[in-house]
């Protein structure tokens, strides 16, 4: 069986948030003052309306991504959370809203981990094949602190047409259970499409 390179990246980060009173359209003033409206909910936590400094959040999100546990401090109380969802302004691309999901560090959770493809498929470069990335994320289950931020899959073993990487070929970190059937194709090199031969008109 070929060996496929895969790695996981972990980050521990802290972020300070404040409770907010402004809701609905009133949150526009928060954004103008460099704050992002946010919500906190999850295990043992009722829905709490928050705001976070946009620059601080950008730094944390850049490092932690969506699956790393972040220590969220609210009025002196620290919650272990993951950044569950973000919304962005369609014009500027800046984050306009954040959902934090509180987790228990001793309870397993399910998450979809993004797949980063690295390397070059020689079946494409040398054989003229077409690379099909059938999966862009992989659903797993683990304790929150064991969740990888992303999975890197090396495409270089795809050195011929009709070769594939399967979920079963990927080695995930200890403590992480893959929830996808091992026979599922992650990436494959398909043969080039046959060129259509023009048909001469009949007189």
């Amino acid at each position: 069986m070929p060996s496929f390179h895969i790695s996981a990246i972990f980050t521990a980060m802290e972020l300070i948030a404040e409770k907010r009173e402004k809701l609905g359209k009133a949150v526009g003033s928060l954004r103008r003052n460099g704050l992002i409206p946010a919500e906190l909910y999850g295990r043992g936590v009722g829905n709490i309306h928050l705001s976070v400094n946009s620059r601080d959040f950008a730094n944390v999100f850049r490092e932690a991504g969506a699956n790393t546990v972040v220590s969220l401090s609210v009025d002196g109380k620290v919650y272990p959370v993951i950044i569950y969802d973000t919304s962005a302004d369609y014009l500027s691309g800046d984050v306009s809203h954040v959902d934090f999901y509180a987790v228990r560090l001793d309870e397993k959770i399910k998450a979809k981990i993004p797949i980063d493809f690295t390397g070059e498929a020689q079946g494409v470069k040398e054989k003229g094949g077409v690379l099909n990335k059938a999966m862009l994320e992989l659903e797993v289950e683990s304790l929150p602190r064991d969740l990888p931020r992303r999975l890197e899959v090396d495409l270089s073993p795809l050195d011929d047409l009709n070769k594939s990487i399967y979920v079963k070929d990927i080695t995930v970190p200890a403590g992480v259970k893959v929830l996808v059937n091992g026979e599922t194709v992650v990436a494959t090199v398909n043969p080039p499409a046959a060129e259509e031969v023009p048909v001469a008109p009949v007189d």
Side-chain angles (χ1 to χ4, degrees):
M1 182 178 294
S3 174
F4 297 98
H5 171 70
I6 185 169
S7 65
I9 297 176
F10 304 85
T11 310
M13 302 290 291
E14 295 183 354
L15 184 64
I16 297 175
E18 295 182 355
K19 292 183 179 179
R20 62 181 168 92
E21 302 292 335
K22 295 181 179 181
L23 303 173
K25 294 182 179 180
V27 299
S29 62
L30 291 175
R31 299 188 181 104
R32 288 191 292 272
N33 289 315
L35 300 174
I36 303 174
E39 302 292 332
L40 170 63
Y41 50 88
R43 288 288 287 133
V45 180
N47 192 22
I48 303 176
H49 307 299
L50 303 172
S51 64
V52 292
N53 180 278
S54 58
R55 181 177 298 177
D56 292 344
F57 176 78
N59 291 335
V60 168
F61 193 46
R62 182 169 55 251
E63 295 295 326
N67 299 305
T68 302
V69 175
V70 173
S71 295
L72 185 69
S73 178
V74 182
D75 290 344
K77 185 173 182 179
V78 178
Y79 300 87
V81 304
I82 59 174
I83 300 170
Y84 186 75
D85 193 24
T86 61
S87 301
D89 183 272
Y90 72 98
L91 291 177
S92 67
D94 295 334
V95 174
S96 58
H97 190 274
V98 182
D99 283 351
F100 295 105
Y101 184 78
V103 297
R104 283 191 51 165
L105 298 180
D106 59 349
E107 288 186 357
K108 292 183 178 181
I109 60 174
K110 298 177 182 179
K112 293 182 178 180
I113 308 302
I115 296 175
D116 284 352
F117 293 97
T118 63
E120 189 170 21
Q122 296 303 310
V124 174
K125 184 177 180 180
E126 298 180 358
K127 304 295 179 65
V130 178
L131 178 64
N132 177 30
K133 298 177 181 177
M135 294 183 65
L136 298 178
E137 57 187 14
L138 184 66
E139 186 174 19
V140 303
E141 181 182 58
S142 76
L143 293 174
R145 289 199 182 279
D146 291 336
L147 283 176
R149 175 181 173 183
R150 62 178 180 265
L151 301 173
E152 296 182 358
V153 175
D154 184 6
L155 296 172
S156 60
L158 299 180
D159 56 4
D160 205 349
L161 301 179
N162 297 311
K163 292 196 71 173
S164 300
I165 297 174
Y166 298 88
V167 168
K168 65 183 180 182
D169 297 320
I170 299 176
T171 302
V172 296
V176 177
K177 178 183 178 181
V178 175
L179 301 179
V180 180
N181 188 296
E183 298 298 325
T184 305
V185 172
V186 177
T188 191
V189 175
N190 294 324
E195 294 185 5
E196 294 186 4
V197 178
V199 178
V202 178
D203 293 332

